[in-house]
Amino acid sequence: MLSDVRTQPFQSGPGPLSPGSRAGLGAALALLAIVSAVELADGRPAHYIALMVAAPFLAAALASWRVVLGVGLLATGIGAAFALAEQTMSLVTAVNVAGIALATAIAGAVAAVRQRQSERIAELSRLASVAQQAVLRTLGPQVGTLAVAARYISSTATAEIGGDLYEAMDTPYGVRMIIGDVRGKGLDAVRLASIVLGSYRHVAYERADLRAVVTDLDRAVARNVGDEDFVTAALVEERGGTLTIVNCGHPPPLLLRRGAVIPLEPPAPAPPLGFMPVVRPRVERLEPGDRLLLFTDGLGEARRDGEFFPTADRAWRLLGHGTVADGLASLETALVEWVHGRLDDDIALVLMEYTGPRSAAAAPVPSWEVGAAES
């Protein structure tokens, strides 16, 4: 994922040097070697030792403060050695050596501040990863009769999670999935996404009809948002090979069947959660090998030079091979290449494959029929 980019903390204690410290140390030592070679070639008096003041600052750009102090002490020692080699030390030479020592102290302080900031960013990244795992649990590889995989692609390398959400569960009413997108960004979007998922994980086990699940989720959203906030969502249920979909203002899922890509548009449009949607189910009979892609609108809005990513045109070639996890990996790679690594919005993706009936027993009645019978 794009959100897998991490800020590596610098080594702050005994042990192997971090890659940053090794790079900073190498660059500083190279500079000291060059200046020393030039000084030796030039002969007395010492003309170039003032250039060594750059060594600790060069190390401070990448290395830990301990490495910076070590480089500074080495530079000061080399400068002092050249100064003492003069028959009569000039005032300029003495000031240059003192300047290297002062630069070492300043560079060490800068490196310490930067190191603390780097460690804090790394800690926040770890906390964000924990939050993502708590809100968006890992799906698959098998949920009921379905092979399932999910991916969250963040538009910001330093962010782990936003307002996109998904879940898949094997309930008494079949395998049920949800994908949604909270309007807005930031912590408020994450909070609302966690509320929707928490409510869904409860009511998906309690309500026989998906329309009742939508009603409960709409109430949960309405209690926790402002007048202009909402959540688009698509809810899917697979039961006995029958696929039921209700859509609340969300991009329609794509059904991949024998090389064809079929958008599963709802029978009638419905507003997002938070606006009291009245949904009509769409029902499809699944065939073994069918795949269904659920996605948020960040995929439909991904573009380069004004041209949108051709999801429907490329879906079968990207998603119809290997496992469902392989398919999503191919889609993410193609998408990132299309936008040159720059996304305008987060994207949640869920890909499922129907592997066939659970057993030879008669298929249970889908929830939309149960709801109709109860009404």
Side-chain angles (χ1 to χ4, degrees), residues 101-119:
L102 179 60
T104 297
I106 296 174
V110 170
V113 172
R114 180 189 45 74
Q115 183 176 331
R116 285 197 298 269
Q117 292 176 339
S118 177
E119 291 171 349

Side-chain angles (χ1 to χ4, degrees), residues 13 22 63 65 78 103 110 119 168 171 185 225-226 252 256 269 284 287 296 300 308 318 348 350 354 357 367 369 373:
R22 288 197 297 270
W65 64 269
I78 295 174
V110 170
E119 291 171 349
T171 75
K185 297 180 180 295
V225 300
L256 286 70
E284 298 284 337
E287 302 174 3
T296 54
F308 291 96
L318 295 171
V350 178
Y354 177 62
S367 71
E369 293 184 356

